[in-house]
């Protein structure tokens, strides 16, 4: 048994600079780093580092960059048998200036998105999955088809992002866990979500549509876990933030790991928060949780990883 992640993979280019250039000006990149990236790949990497068997469903370009990111995914312990090759590989440029001021540039070709026609390639891994995690930046018809297929197979369905209006209610009816960052929470609410009562109200509205757990990020506050029987606030950790990229992907991976391990919601949330905190202390969206896996579990009081 394991986790299937459906989402973006591509090439990350991270540039660390001393400030951003003015119009017509330039600055020198003090550090440059290239790696496997994209929300789906970042989450899959985090899961693998936390000891979870993981398969990735996505699209890599039919180019040199696509071959390179797939080789790295393999080294990371990610099963890429369900990854389709076509077009050019997505590119994500993360520009980080002092003090941790981030700008993200994305070149995501339409061909790099997962289509409904791509999903049958994942049948073999789906049959063995206890959890299917879907990034909602993929086409609406794809995420709805994937969620329904996962639900029929008895897997826990985790959705990360904002459902498109045309499929929102149908998708939420097929989701067990919904996670949204601060900007996504405001889109879901149709207005500001800045306090714990705001998030509680939104969370309970979403619960009536199907999920059993909603995780919402609150700016400058932390993450709120909302269930029908109550809510838990996970305050922001007091750590130096180098780059916020990938924090949500690590959070979702930690939450999935905890729930898979049989932890209660609060303990799973603590693991998720710890994984996100570890990720923001380094450049780029790629997490580095391998050496922290057991330490993170101890922090959240979780059992050792399940096979």
């Amino acid at each position: 048994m394991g986790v299937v992640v459906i989402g973006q993979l591509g090439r990350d280019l991270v540039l660390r600079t001393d400030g951003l250039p003015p119009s017509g000006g330039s600055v020198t990149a003090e550090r440059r780093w290239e790696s496997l990236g994209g929300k789906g790949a970042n989450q899959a990497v985090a899961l693998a580092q936390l000891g979870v068997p993981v398969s990735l469903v996505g699209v890599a370009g039919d180019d040199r960059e696509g071959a390179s990111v797939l080789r790295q995914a393999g080294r990371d312990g990610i099963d890429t048998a369900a990854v389709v090759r076509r077009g050019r590989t997505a590119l994500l440029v993360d520009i980080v200036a002092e003090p941790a001021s981030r700008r993200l540039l994305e070149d995501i070709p339409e061909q790099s998105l997962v289509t409904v026609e791509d999903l049958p390639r994942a049948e073999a891994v789906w049959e063995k999955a206890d959890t299917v995690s879907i990034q909602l930046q993929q086409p609406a018809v794809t995420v709805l088809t994937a969620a329904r297929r996962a639900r029929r197979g008895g897997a826990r369905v985790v959705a990360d992002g904002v459902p498109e209006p045309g499929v929102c209610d149908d998708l939420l009816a097929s989701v067990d866990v919904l996670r949204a960052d601060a900007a996504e929470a405001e889109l879901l609410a149709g207005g500001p979500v800045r306090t714990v009562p705001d998030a509680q109200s939104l969370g309970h509205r979403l619960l009536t549509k199907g999920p059993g757990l909603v995780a919402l990020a609150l700016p400058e506050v932390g993450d709120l876990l909302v269930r029908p029987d109550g809510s838990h606030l996970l305050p922001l950790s007091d750590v130096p933030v180098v780059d916020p990229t990938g924090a949500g992907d690590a959070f979702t991976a930690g939450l999935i790991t905890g729930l898979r391990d049989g932890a209660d919601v609060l303990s799973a949330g603590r693991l998720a928060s710890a994984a996100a905190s570890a990720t923001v202390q380094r450049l780029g969206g790629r997490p580095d949780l391998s050496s922290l896996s057991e330490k993170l579990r101890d922090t959240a009081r979780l059992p050792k990883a399940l096979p």
Side-chain angles (χ1 to χ4, degrees):
M1 303 292 281
V3 177
V4 172
V5 176
I6 302 172
Q8 188 71 52
L9 75 153
R11 182 166 64 98
D12 262 3
L13 171 60
V14 183
L15 301 173
R16 179 64 179 265
T17 69
D18 184 13
L20 297 173
S23 178
S26 65
V27 295
T28 299
E30 298 176 347
R31 183 179 173 190
R32 170 176 170 167
W33 180 54
E34 297 186 43
S35 179
L36 167 69
K39 288 184 67 64
N42 288 340
Q43 189 183 119
V45 168
L47 285 163
Q49 291 173 347
L50 289 170
V52 176
V54 59
S55 300
L56 182 60
V57 178
V59 181
D62 190 17
D63 51 19
R64 182 175 59 184
E65 290 78 12
S68 176
V69 296
L70 285 178
R71 284 195 298 270
Q72 184 169 358
R75 292 194 296 271
D76 287 326
I78 300 168
D79 176 9
T80 61
V83 172
V84 176
R85 300 284 305 275
R86 64 167 172 261
R88 75 176 186 277
T89 300
L91 173 66
L92 303 103
V93 182
D94 180 17
I95 303 172
V96 183
E98 291 285 2
S101 173
R102 180 194 66 166
R103 300 290 189 277
L104 187 61
L105 306 177
E106 298 181 339
D107 173 28
I108 302 179
E110 185 174 353
Q111 283 187 312
S112 72
L113 301 177
V114 181
T115 69
V116 172
E117 292 73 25
D118 296 328
L119 295 178
R121 183 169 180 144
E123 281 296 323
V125 295
W126 240 319
E127 291 175 359
K128 299 180 291 184
D130 53 66
T131 304
V132 175
S133 180
I134 308 169
Q135 271 71 60
L136 300 186
Q137 295 78 13
Q138 301 301 307
V141 64
T142 302
V143 300
L144 180 58
T145 301
R148 286 173 167 171
R149 166 63 181 82
R151 175 61 65 86
R152 287 197 304 272
R156 176 187 287 120
V157 182
V158 179
D160 182 5
V162 182
E164 291 193 18
V167 301
C168 186
D169 288 349
D170 288 339
L171 180 64
L172 291 175
S174 297
V175 165
D176 298 292
V177 180
L178 176 69
R179 194 265 170 187
D181 66 22
E184 291 163 345
E186 295 202 348
L187 289 173
L188 286 165
V193 182
R194 295 172 184 161
T195 67
V196 170
D198 290 343
Q200 287 173 325
S201 176
L202 173 60
H204 284 294
R205 292 207 313 269
L206 293 168
L207 289 175
T208 65
K209 297 180 181 295
L213 173 63
V214 175
L216 301 170
L218 281 163
E220 310 302 325
V221 177
D223 292 275
L224 188 72
L225 304 178
V226 186
R227 285 175 51 86
D229 58 354
S231 60
H232 301 288
L233 178 64
L234 304 165
L236 286 179
S237 299
D238 185 18
V239 298
V241 178
V242 174
D243 183 355
T245 307
D249 305 325
F251 183 96
T252 304
L255 188 63
I256 289 171
T257 301
L259 295 175
R260 266 189 97 249
D261 286 351
D264 60 77
V265 168
L266 180 55
S267 295
R270 289 191 182 117
L271 177 61
S273 184
S277 295
T279 299
V280 301
Q281 296 180 65
R282 61 195 310 274
L283 281 176
R286 178 184 171 84
D288 185 9
L289 308 178
S290 298
S291 62
L292 299 176
S293 178
E294 293 307 322
K295 181 179 178 182
L296 291 175
R297 278 188 164 79
D298 289 343
T299 298
R301 297 193 292 276
L302 295 180
K304 293 184 182 295
L306 297 176

